[in-house]
Amino acid sequence: MTQTLDTLALAPHQLAPQLRNDWLKHSILQTELTPAFIGQERAKAALQFAIGMDMPGYNLYVMGEPALGRFTLVQDILQHAAAEKATPDEWCYLRNFDDERMPTTLRLLPGEGRTLVKRIEDLVDEVLDTFPAAFDNPGYQRQKKAIQRTFDQRYEAALEAVEQKALEKKVVLYEDGGTVTFAPLIDGKPLDDSEFNKLSDEERQYFYDLVGELETILNEQLIELPQWKRDVSEQLRELRKATIEQVFKPLFKALEHHYVAELGVLRYLRDMRPHLVKLVLELLPEETEPEKTEELDIRTLFIEEFVPNVLVHHAAMDGAPVVFEPLPTYGNLFGRVEYATSGGSLYTNHRMIRPGALHRANGGYLILDADKLLPQTQVWEALKQALKSSELLIDTLSEHAVTNSTIITPKAIPLQVKVILMGSRDLYYLIQELDEEFNELFRVLADFEHYLPYQQQTLNYMVRQIRLQMRELGLEQLSECGFERLLQFSFRQAEHQHKLSARFADVLELVREACYYATQAGSESLTSEHVRQALAGKQYRTGRISESFLEDIQQGQILIDSDGLAVGKVNGLTVLEIGDTTFGTPARISATVFAGASGVVDIEREVELGKAIHSKGVLILNGFLGARYARDFPLTLSANIAMEQSYGHIDGDSASLAEICALISAITQVPIKQSLAVTGSINQHGEVQAIGGVNEKIEGFFRLCQLRGLTGGQGVVIPASNQLNLVLNEEVRQAVSRGEFHIYVVKNVDEALFLLTGIEPGEQTRRGDYPKKTLNAMVLKRLAEIAEIVNGCNDDE
């Protein structure tokens, strides 16, 4: 063992990134404030490729975690690309006069939808203004009276013939209100009822018979009266129809002249015209009856019948649409058909078809949240079908529709859209495995990285974005020390000394909070003190749980020693994530060893608190012990390992280095320094491997030692490969600089044991043994003794 404590200890400058002052000054002095997206060149190239490939199947999956700027970058690139593309045509639904249950579609140039709707509405208003006033025309009234006069003449002629016969038989004919009656004449004078009753029975019977005969003649003369009335009604209807058509000619001629080049509009006007005439005949009276409410209802009816339903309006120079649908349900994506109530039943028509995100994005780009879309199996299948068929159909017959007696099936619309799914890495690989069609439809992957390169250009872009954020909050000046503290925060987010975090949204959040403290202090510049206050403020707001853990340790409710020596006990380091709070805290790991053959037992696994990776780390200990020490005898022992006072699920193998140290201490009865805490995982060859959350773990143990008083002998043992991940806070770095706290890095178990016990581990000789009085020699001797005890007992039996 050639290393010493000093060679394994890190210097203060190794505990955090070393910033280049020339880069900082250059970035602070720049005056350019044009916003620019930071990093993600790989994702940018994928986005540009997907946009350029204007072919089916080249839709895009944007892979990455939230807060990496995925949405911002995608939206910016799409907006620039959309501005250069042609504005898509507009689509509208029209009433199908042949089958109202299947509305037809009409394609219009951008901006023409509003114009067509306005012209049809003006046509309706002109119709309502013209009728029934048009029926007051003298020509119409003259023809109407002529038709009525012809009927009256035929009716009068029939009555006159019957009247002549009645007079010949001494009976007079009366007509009153369309009712014809007869009365007998005596001495040229008609009799009233009292006089008629004074006649003899024979005379009355004579007149009864005579009146019956005359009524029969009257019925024969007027037998065609209903047909005469029908003829009159038909003639009047034809007259009204001819009058309406005559009035419509100039109205439709103006419309047809305007749309002479639009065959679809001309066809619709041609089909609409007879139905408009029919509706005027049925609804509008011949005489003006100024009822406001009825006029409003009639106008609404005309609008609902004839005015097109333009799904999406575009201005001529808008470019292609870019649409983000945050909640991709079936109705929000594909549109829906609404229903209204009338007379206790539901009804609908082409005007009640509502567009979805696919309608709004047709001809452009649609951004969707994959994590919300893909769990909806039916919506996902419908989207795939739409992309494959290049048709957009509103399904009104499936479970998405309202079941009703009135069902309409709108005609499908051609679909040309590029879909951008934004989702997690795990979901991408899962859907690839489960859905064979996914790769055919989403051929391009934009993979967002977790890190940004630490270089001059990155710093320049960061300063621009920070200053733009500050300007919105009323601050103009960013100090060099303030920017340096923000960079330290980004390095800490990345857990890397040479890379910045791609979660730049977190940096901007910190800027906003720091600007609050700067404003409160009346400062015109954002300094490191304001950033420190923002970090401290957030830690205070979210730090109740971590402080509770420290209090429990201080009060002795959780047993953690930070000084002295103990056998089979070592301070491990854990990271707890509760909500948006992440903090490190020490945990005692203990081991006991006794003669037996049960092997190394992981108590956490036995009680089902240890998850798979943690259990794997414990099982590796058996491989390490057997390979190193039990080459000439069977590894026979009974050992229990536990993470004391831990009552929740444990995962990860970062405790395996501490566990092997505790186990070897228990085997040899050599005490371990409780002033040191250990983290790291090992492999079967005893090499120490990197772990996560190293900064939080170190600071968690440091806070405990700080509360109890720093003695100068306390510190943390971490894997050497984690040195690159150290971005420790100023307090820890200063304590290390003063020699009050230490950070040790180890590459193997022997180095960790040397730090924890102070005893030379010893290197294995060619014969497979270890030098006397070394720690490994003690382990080898004790394991041999246990094997002898156990195997000897077995032999005796």
Side-chain angles (χ1 to χ4, degrees):
M1 187 79 184
T2 58
Q3 287 94 343
T4 64
L5 292 179
D6 291 338
T7 59
L8 297 176
L10 295 179
H13 70 272
Q14 296 176 293
L15 306 181
Q18 300 302 302
L19 303 181
R20 291 189 53 170
N21 292 329
D22 56 334
W23 287 3
L24 292 178
K25 291 178 181 178
H26 182 274
S27 300
I28 291 294
L29 292 176
Q30 68 169 336
T31 58
E32 176 65 46
L33 285 184
T34 304
F37 193 84
I38 305 172
Q40 305 295 354
E41 299 303 324
R42 190 191 307 271
K44 289 179 184 177
L47 282 164
Q48 297 290 357
F49 175 76
I51 292 172
M53 290 295 291
D54 195 11
M55 299 175 63
Y58 282 88
N59 298 295
L60 180 70
Y61 188 97
V62 179
M63 183 169 70
E65 304 307 318
L68 294 179
R70 296 177 305 167
F71 184 77
T72 301
L73 177 60
V74 168
Q75 195 172 46
D76 287 349
I77 291 180
L78 291 182
Q79 292 289 0
H80 283 92
E84 298 176 358
K85 290 189 67 174
T87 306
D89 292 336
E90 297 179 344
W91 286 94
C92 59
Y93 277 108
L94 308 171
R95 177 186 173 187
N96 186 345
F97 296 105
D98 295 328
D99 187 353
E100 294 184 8
R101 295 173 299 176
M102 299 185 66
T104 59
T105 58
L106 177 64
R107 188 172 195 156
L108 297 169
L109 293 175
E112 286 296 320
R114 295 183 188 276
T115 303
L116 178 61
V117 168
K118 182 65 168 59
R119 289 181 178 274
I120 299 297
E121 287 179 346
D122 290 345
L123 174 65
V124 169
D125 290 335
E126 289 180 358
V127 169
L128 295 178
D129 291 341
T130 302
F131 296 96
F135 296 126
D136 295 334
N137 183 281
Y140 172 81
Q141 293 294 334
R142 184 170 57 253
Q143 295 180 60
K144 178 182 178 182
K145 290 178 180 178
I147 294 171
Q148 190 65 47
R149 186 164 51 249
T150 301
F151 170 79
D152 293 343
Q153 288 174 352
R154 296 178 69 177
Y155 183 73
E156 292 295 336
L159 290 183
E160 186 176 349
V162 175
E163 186 178 18
Q164 290 295 330
K165 291 185 177 294
L167 291 175
E168 292 175 359
K169 298 180 180 294
K170 305 298 185 181
V171 176
V172 65
L173 182 146
Y174 287 99
E175 182 183 10
D176 185 15
T179 301
V180 178
T181 58
F182 295 94
L185 285 173
I186 296 181
D187 297 331
K189 178 182 177 183
L191 301 179
D192 56 20
D193 291 341
S194 60
E195 292 174 337
F196 181 76
N197 290 330
K198 294 178 181 180
L199 297 177
S200 63
D201 292 340
E202 292 81 4
E203 290 175 324
R204 287 200 304 272
Q205 184 61 44
Y206 169 76
F207 281 111
Y208 284 144
D209 295 338
L210 186 58
V211 169
E213 180 182 345
L214 291 174
E215 286 179 346
T216 301
I217 296 173
L218 178 64
N219 290 335
E220 291 175 354
Q221 290 292 327
L222 297 181
I223 194 171
E224 296 183 356
L225 180 63
Q227 181 63 41
W228 298 346
K229 291 184 177 181
R230 285 194 297 271
D231 291 343
V232 169
S233 298
E234 185 62 31
Q235 291 175 30
L236 291 175
R237 182 178 179 83
E238 289 297 325
L239 175 60
R240 293 184 68 205
K241 182 177 179 182
T243 302
I244 294 169
E245 291 178 342
Q246 188 67 27
V247 173
F248 278 178
K249 282 183 179 180
L251 301 181
F252 275 86
K253 186 174 182 180
L255 273 177
E256 291 169 351
H257 178 73
H258 181 80
Y259 291 104
V260 65
E262 298 287 344
L263 296 181
V265 178
L266 291 178
R267 187 181 301 111
Y268 176 65
L269 292 176
R270 182 198 63 197
D271 295 341
M272 179 181 76
R273 187 167 178 172
H275 290 272
L276 182 59
V277 171
K278 180 180 178 182
L279 201 60
V280 171
L281 278 172
E282 293 176 353
L283 297 181
L284 296 182
E286 291 189 35
E287 297 180 2
T288 303
E289 299 174 2
E291 290 281 344
K292 290 287 184 180
T293 55
E294 290 186 8
E295 260 189 38
L296 179 61
D297 293 339
I298 290 176
R299 185 182 188 278
T300 301
L301 180 58
F302 274 77
I303 294 295
E304 293 295 321
E305 287 284 327
F306 302 111
V307 174
N309 177 15
V310 182
L311 295 178
V312 181
H313 295 281
H314 297 295
M317 302 302 291
D318 276 352
V322 177
V323 177
F324 170 62
E325 176 50 58
L327 186 60
T329 61
Y330 186 89
N332 289 347
L333 271 184
F334 292 89
R336 61 188 180 277
V337 177
E338 294 181 347
Y339 292 82
T341 305
S342 177
S345 62
L346 298 176
Y347 75 94
T348 188
N349 56 35
H350 73 281
R351 294 272 300 171
M352 301 175 76
I353 300 173
R354 298 293 176 257
L358 283 168
H359 293 95
R360 298 193 301 273
N362 198 3
Y365 307 95
L366 175 61
I367 306 171
L368 299 174
D369 187 340
D371 295 272
K372 294 180 180 178
L373 170 67
L374 294 176
Q376 302 180 73
T377 306
Q378 293 178 331
V379 181
W380 170 239
E381 293 296 330
L383 177 61
K384 289 194 300 181
Q385 181 60 36
L387 294 176
K388 288 187 292 185
S389 64
S390 297
E391 284 190 343
L392 178 51
L393 177 66
I394 301 178
D395 185 3
T396 59
L397 299 178
S398 69
E399 62 182 82
H400 310 291
V402 176
T403 303
N404 190 269
S405 57
T406 303
I407 296 291
I408 64 174
T409 306
K411 186 178 178 182
I413 292 176
L415 178 65
Q416 185 180 6
V417 66
K418 192 171 291 291
V419 177
I420 296 90
L421 289 182
M422 301 180 64
S424 64
R425 192 174 303 274
D426 293 340
L427 183 60
Y428 174 76
Y429 294 119
L430 178 62
I431 195 66
Q432 263 195 334
E433 180 181 350
L434 298 179
D435 194 331
E436 296 179 354
E437 296 177 320
F438 179 76
N439 285 334
E440 298 178 7
L441 295 173
F442 291 85
R443 300 177 186 271
V444 185
L445 170 66
D447 191 354
F448 273 68
E449 300 177 5
H450 292 280
Y451 305 106
L452 298 174
Y454 177 50
Q455 57 190 22
Q456 182 69 73
Q457 186 181 31
T458 303
L459 301 189
N460 292 344
Y461 288 162
M462 289 183 70
V463 168
R464 291 186 199 178
Q465 299 285 20
I466 291 170
R467 281 182 170 167
L468 287 171
Q469 182 70 75
M470 291 172 56
R471 178 170 291 181
E472 292 181 6
L473 299 172
L475 286 180
E476 292 289 340
Q477 299 179 18
L478 174 63
S479 68
E480 186 175 331
C481 65
F483 183 45
E484 181 178 347
R485 181 61 71 95
L486 291 171
L487 285 178
Q488 291 285 355
F489 172 78
S490 185
F491 279 118
R492 177 61 177 264
Q493 293 291 93
E495 289 192 327
H496 203 288
Q497 292 186 355
H498 304 308
K499 294 179 181 179
L500 296 162
S501 172
R503 293 174 60 93
F504 192 66
D506 294 341
V507 176
L508 293 180
E509 179 183 349
L510 179 58
V511 169
R512 289 192 289 270
E513 294 178 7
C515 285
Y516 166 79
Y517 290 100
T519 304
Q520 293 287 79
S523 175
E524 297 180 355
S525 176
L526 187 68
T527 67
S528 61
E529 176 59 22
H530 303 135
V531 179
R532 186 200 65 77
Q533 287 179 308
L535 290 171
K538 185 168 186 178
Q539 174 62 34
Y540 178 75
R541 295 192 299 271
T542 62
R544 187 188 63 81
I545 298 178
S546 62
E547 290 177 3
S548 297
F549 270 85
L550 284 177
E551 288 178 5
D552 290 344
I553 295 173
Q554 281 289 84
Q555 295 168 2
Q557 296 182 17
I558 298 178
L559 300 179
I560 299 290
D561 293 330
S562 56
D563 202 2
L565 300 171
V567 174
K569 299 177 184 177
V570 65
N571 290 327
L573 295 175
T574 63
V575 172
L576 298 181
E577 295 185 12
I578 303 174
D580 61 348
T581 302
T582 302
F583 59 92
T585 183
R588 173 176 287 179
I589 297 172
S590 65
T592 57
V593 176
F594 51 92
S598 58
V600 178
V601 176
D602 177 15
I603 294 178
E604 310 299 334
R605 182 180 64 179
E606 294 300 315
V607 298
E608 298 183 352
L609 287 178
K611 294 189 177 180
I613 298 178
H614 178 265
S615 298
K616 174 186 175 183
V618 175
L619 291 174
I620 286 175
L621 304 185
N622 268 321
F624 170 73
L625 291 174
R628 171 169 284 198
Y629 303 110
R631 294 186 177 185
D632 300 325
F633 56 86
L635 180 62
T636 308
L637 82 162
S638 291
N640 291 329
I641 296 177
M643 188 169 289
E644 304 290 357
Q645 294 183 282
S646 173
Y647 307 106
H649 290 287
I650 300 172
D651 201 7
D653 60 354
S654 64
S656 58
L657 176 59
E659 289 168 344
I660 191 63
C661 292
L663 186 59
I664 288 176
S665 172
I667 292 171
T668 62
Q669 293 298 298
V670 172
I672 285 177
K673 296 177 183 178
Q674 301 301 295
S675 58
L676 296 179
V678 182
T679 184
S681 70
I682 66 168
N683 59 28
Q684 295 186 91
H685 299 285
E687 297 170 322
V688 179
Q689 304 167 140
I691 45 84
V694 63
N695 295 293
E696 289 79 5
K697 291 177 178 179
I698 293 173
E699 291 171 359
F701 188 65
F702 173 78
R703 283 196 297 271
L704 174 61
C705 296
Q706 190 180 42
L707 284 173
R708 290 180 172 178
L710 295 172
T711 63
Q714 297 150 329
V716 172
V717 180
I718 66 171
S721 52
N722 276 123
Q723 178 184 338
L724 197 63
N725 305 116
L726 293 180
V727 189
L728 295 170
N729 61 37
E730 186 68 22
E731 278 188 310
V732 177
R733 299 203 303 271
Q734 289 179 359
V736 172
S737 179
R738 294 191 299 266
E740 298 173 347
F741 196 77
H742 306 279
I743 311 294
Y744 300 102
V745 292
V746 295
K747 296 180 180 178
N748 52 58
V749 173
D750 287 344
E751 292 177 349
L753 288 171
F754 174 70
L755 287 169
L756 292 171
T757 64
I759 301 176
E760 188 73 28
E763 296 183 5
Q764 193 174 36
T765 65
R766 292 181 179 179
R767 293 180 302 177
D769 55 7
Y770 295 91
K772 293 181 179 181
K773 296 184 179 181
T774 61
L775 190 61
N776 284 326
M778 298 179 190
V779 177
L780 184 61
K781 179 182 177 182
R782 180 56 181 159
L783 289 177
E785 292 174 352
I786 295 175
E788 180 67 24
I789 293 172
V790 175
N791 294 329
C793 291
N794 292 336
D795 292 341
D796 293 341
E797 293 175 2

